[in-house]
Amino acid sequence: MKKNILFIALVALLSISFVSCEDKLDIQKHGNLGSMDDFYTNDENVMQATASLYTEMRDLYYNWFFTKNLLSDDLYAGGGSRGDNGEMEKLNEYTFDSDHSMIQSLYSGLYGVIYKANLIIDKVEGETAVAKRAINEAKVFRAWAHFELVTLWGTAPVVDHLLEPGEYRKPNSDPSETWALVESDLTEAINSGTLPSKTSASDEETGIRITKETAQAFLGKAYLFQGKYSEAAAMLDNVINSGKYELFAGEYDMQFHALYNNNCESLFELQKRNDQENMSMDFLFIMQGWRTDKLTYSGEAAEVLAQGMYGFMNPRKALYDDFVAWEGTNGARLAKTIMNYDQVTNFGVTLQAGKYLYGSEGVFLFKNQSLKSDLVIDFSGFQCFQFTDLKVMRYAEVLLLAAEAQLQAGNSSKALNYINQIRERAKESALSSVSLDDIKNEKRFELCNEAVRYQDLIRWRDADKAMKDQGKEIPVFSTTGVEWQYKNQNYGFKERNWLLPIPLKEIELNPNMQKNPGW
């Protein structure tokens, strides 16, 4: 039964977590409740620990997604008005410092994932299939979290085991040490024989959890980020040649919606449930939806779009214009990704007279705009109950990573093949040759607002050019046009921004930690 094993464990875990305080006080304790060392010795408990690890990453996703997208050059923070979310504005305008709450939460959240992974790796006993799989899934999670730490902070400490009290104040790690752990964890997991592969591209169940190909995709990406192009190309080709994944063939935008959770293009996504009895709030999509209280909906838009959204994460006109230059005003992928105001109006959405959209130049992100079919329950004033899965990686990214790796390794024909697969799905003409700039552009448009671009700009050393003026002026859009009402004196990407700051809290609590340069 789809999602049965993991969800049974998740339901059991959440049932324990959310009992009322009164119930907790009424529990009568009988005998020895056991220790941490005892807990990991049977398959049922190992499954609960695995479910807890997946849940830890799902809880981290909001900060992971928003922090990285806000730091990129494709979006404005947006919201209802100036100051609606000051922390998001600081990220987006490069006015943040080392005490920024979202950076701190992402940093500590990644170590939360690492801790849950280390519990499984260090504590699980036994030779059962469940135990072996859990350990190697945990290694993939631990590698993923360290990848994020090394690509965002550079010198964040490696934590490859459960720390003893005398180890809590770890110093900065050299990035080479972190990369070595990422590679070894993923390699061991891939070679363990315990991670399953999907039976086919249409298999919607196996890919709910980490697969062998997910680990291979993560490792190929890690190789690419280190400039190990031949290794990256070979590893990513393993995923491509497996035949277990395909580009989504339906309407381009529908792959980002609940009806197509776990579709053929999904490498890894964190699961949500369409279950009114066990709903959990998630602000990810309500934050991104068009600012409903300033808009009027009619016609097709009123029938299909979820209403009750907050208007954050608005695309920049520069992204839209570059998109148009790349595939034309009527590009099929563009039409399902970003709409201009005329297109939005034709769809049935208009801006109310006298109202304005903050952090908007009059173009609207559509690819993951919430639909009524995404809702567990249609609560139009507060659309936090949706069941669209949280995407971490999809096959399009694998193809574009592989295209770059192959090009850099000297295999331009393979690179051309991979990028043209993306272009064919986008209904664009095939390229006759391919350059690194082609791949950069294709990746920008294919994966915009998917928490990918910021780290690419950093590793390509393009971030200083792309974000040098970011935050200088902030627009508002009304029916009379765009006005630049807000200005910053201090703004834009600076030399210190090649790495995020080690959070101030960590520096204050740990005398062995050193600040990153410039912070």
Side-chain angles (χ1 to χ4, degrees):
M1 183 176 181
K2 185 178 180 181
K3 303 189 180 183
N4 57 352
I5 298 175
L6 187 56
F7 278 140
I8 288 171
L10 279 171
V11 169
L13 178 72
L14 295 175
S15 297
I16 295 170
S17 301
F18 293 109
V19 293
S20 69
C21 294
E22 182 178 354
D23 290 340
K24 289 180 181 178
L25 291 173
D26 288 342
I27 292 174
Q28 295 184 13
K29 297 177 176 60
H30 301 285
N32 184 359
L33 297 179
S35 68
M36 181 183 291
D37 290 331
D38 298 329
F39 181 81
Y40 297 91
T41 57
N42 65 71
D43 285 353
E44 181 181 357
N45 289 352
V46 170
M47 281 299 303
Q48 286 196 37
T50 302
S52 180
L53 175 56
Y54 277 80
T55 303
E56 188 79 17
M57 184 167 169
R58 192 177 69 183
D59 291 346
L60 169 69
Y61 190 92
Y62 178 95
N63 267 326
W64 176 82
F65 179 88
F66 279 115
T67 297
K68 297 201 296 181
N69 282 319
L70 286 161
L71 287 167
S72 83
D73 61 335
D74 284 345
L75 303 159
Y76 291 105
S81 61
R82 185 68 174 171
D84 192 2
N85 191 308
E87 293 296 89
M88 286 190 169
E89 290 174 357
K90 289 176 185 176
L91 280 175
N92 193 235
E93 298 164 22
Y94 281 83
T95 59
F96 61 90
D97 213 325
S98 59
D99 59 349
H100 192 275
S101 63
M102 291 178 70
I103 292 175
Q104 167 64 47
S105 294
L106 177 56
Y107 184 91
S108 60
L110 289 166
Y111 281 109
V113 170
I114 291 168
Y115 174 69
K116 291 287 182 72
N118 282 336
L119 281 172
I120 294 171
I121 296 166
D122 289 2
K123 295 291 186 181
V124 167
E125 298 178 4
E127 295 296 315
T128 67
V130 169
K132 291 179 179 179
R133 180 177 178 180
I135 289 170
N136 285 290
E137 281 180 293
K139 288 180 179 179
V140 175
F141 277 95
R142 185 169 72 178
W144 175 86
H146 278 100
F147 172 91
E148 296 295 322
L149 287 165
V150 73
T151 55
L152 294 171
W153 284 273
T155 66
V158 168
V159 180
D160 60 358
H161 62 281
L162 293 172
L163 299 180
E164 298 294 333
E167 299 179 290
Y168 289 163
R169 295 180 173 181
K170 289 182 68 67
N172 306 67
S173 290
D174 188 280
S176 63
E177 182 185 357
T178 312
W179 284 120
L181 178 67
V182 170
E183 290 186 21
S184 64
D185 271 352
L186 291 171
T187 300
E188 288 172 13
I190 291 164
N191 294 335
S192 69
T194 65
L195 298 181
S197 297
K198 289 170 59 176
T199 58
S200 67
S202 61
D203 177 0
E204 296 182 4
E205 182 173 354
T206 307
I208 288 169
R209 293 171 64 179
I210 294 289
T211 65
K212 177 181 178 179
E213 287 72 27
T214 305
Q216 289 173 328
F218 287 169
L219 181 54
K221 186 172 182 176
Y223 283 143
L224 181 65
F225 268 64
Q226 296 175 79
K228 297 180 177 181
Y229 299 121
S230 295
E231 295 92 331
M235 189 56 60
L236 293 163
D237 271 4
N238 287 330
V239 181
I240 295 167
N241 294 335
S242 73
K244 308 299 184 183
Y245 302 89
E246 297 172 354
L247 293 174
F248 183 75
E251 289 290 331
Y252 178 78
D253 60 307
M254 289 308 296
Q255 65 179 305
F256 304 104
H257 292 287
L259 291 177
Y260 294 95
N261 285 346
N262 304 302
N263 65 68
C264 61
E265 191 164 334
S266 172
L267 256 292
F268 186 51
E269 56 193 56
L270 299 161
Q271 305 297 300
K272 303 293 290 295
R273 299 185 71 186
N274 185 14
D275 182 351
Q276 293 190 18
E277 295 183 359
N278 294 284
M279 293 189 300
S280 60
M281 287 194 298
D282 189 334
F283 282 80
L284 183 80
F285 296 108
I286 189 174
M287 290 289 283
Q288 297 177 76
W290 303 343
R291 186 76 191 191
T292 306
D293 63 347
K294 298 184 178 184
L295 300 169
T296 298
Y297 291 71
S298 62
E300 182 183 3
E303 293 177 4
V304 303
L305 293 182
Q307 299 180 44
M309 304 295 174
Y310 292 169
F312 291 87
M313 310 301 282
N314 301 315
R316 295 172 185 263
K317 182 73 160 37
L319 171 61
Y320 176 78
D321 290 343
D322 289 348
F323 220 136
V324 169
W326 188 245
E327 63 177 49
T329 305
N330 298 317
R333 179 176 51 184
L334 171 59
K336 295 296 184 179
T337 304
I338 303 174
M339 290 183 173
N340 62 34
Y341 186 61
D342 288 341
Q343 292 168 325
V344 167
T345 300
N346 291 335
F347 189 48
V349 178
T350 55
L351 181 59
Q352 297 166 12
K355 297 293 182 68
Y356 68 89
L357 298 176
Y358 167 73
S360 172
E361 294 180 85
V363 289
F364 300 77
L365 192 67
F366 184 72
K367 71 190 282 187
N368 59 352
Q369 176 69 202
S370 294
L371 307 178
K372 290 184 183 292
S373 58
D374 297 326
L375 307 175
V376 178
I377 183 171
D378 191 351
F379 186 20
S380 61
F382 190 62
Q383 299 286 22
C384 285
F385 303 106
Q386 305 187 34
F387 67 104
T388 302
D389 285 350
L390 311 180
K391 293 189 182 297
V392 177
M393 179 180 273
R394 58 188 178 94
Y395 185 56
E397 183 181 356
V398 172
L399 284 172
L400 289 165
L401 290 167
E404 183 179 350
Q406 294 288 358
L407 181 68
Q408 298 284 30
N411 303 317
S412 59
S413 60
K414 269 195 171 183
L416 184 63
N417 176 25
Y418 294 155
I419 194 172
N420 278 336
Q421 288 184 45
I422 299 291
R423 291 180 63 79
E424 181 181 3
R425 195 265 295 275
K427 298 181 172 56
E428 290 299 305
S429 59
L431 298 176
S432 57
S433 61
V434 61
S435 67
L436 182 58
D437 282 342
D438 292 330
I439 294 169
K440 288 181 179 182
N441 284 326
E442 197 66 48
K443 198 171 188 185
R444 182 186 187 192
F445 305 131
E446 176 66 30
L447 300 173
C448 65
N449 196 40
E450 295 188 46
V452 170
R453 181 160 171 81
Y454 172 71
Q455 283 148 304
D456 279 342
L457 289 172
I458 293 292
R459 73 179 175 90
W460 288 329
R461 306 304 287 181
D462 291 340
D464 53 348
K465 299 184 290 291
M467 278 95 75
K468 65 183 177 64
D469 291 328
Q470 191 151 310
K472 182 177 181 179
E473 297 179 296
I474 314 301
V476 298
F477 175 74
S478 69
T479 54
T480 61
V482 177
E483 296 181 29
W484 300 88
Q485 293 189 356
Y486 302 95
K487 296 177 172 59
N488 287 312
Q489 295 300 312
N490 175 37
Y491 58 85
F493 190 96
K494 306 168 188 68
E495 184 63 25
R496 70 180 187 174
N497 293 120
W498 291 109
L499 294 175
L500 292 180
I502 302 295
L504 179 62
K505 178 181 176 182
E506 305 297 325
I507 298 294
E508 291 177 338
L509 293 176
N510 183 356
N512 297 321
M513 282 291 290
Q514 301 297 315
K515 298 178 181 180
N516 275 335
W519 294 100

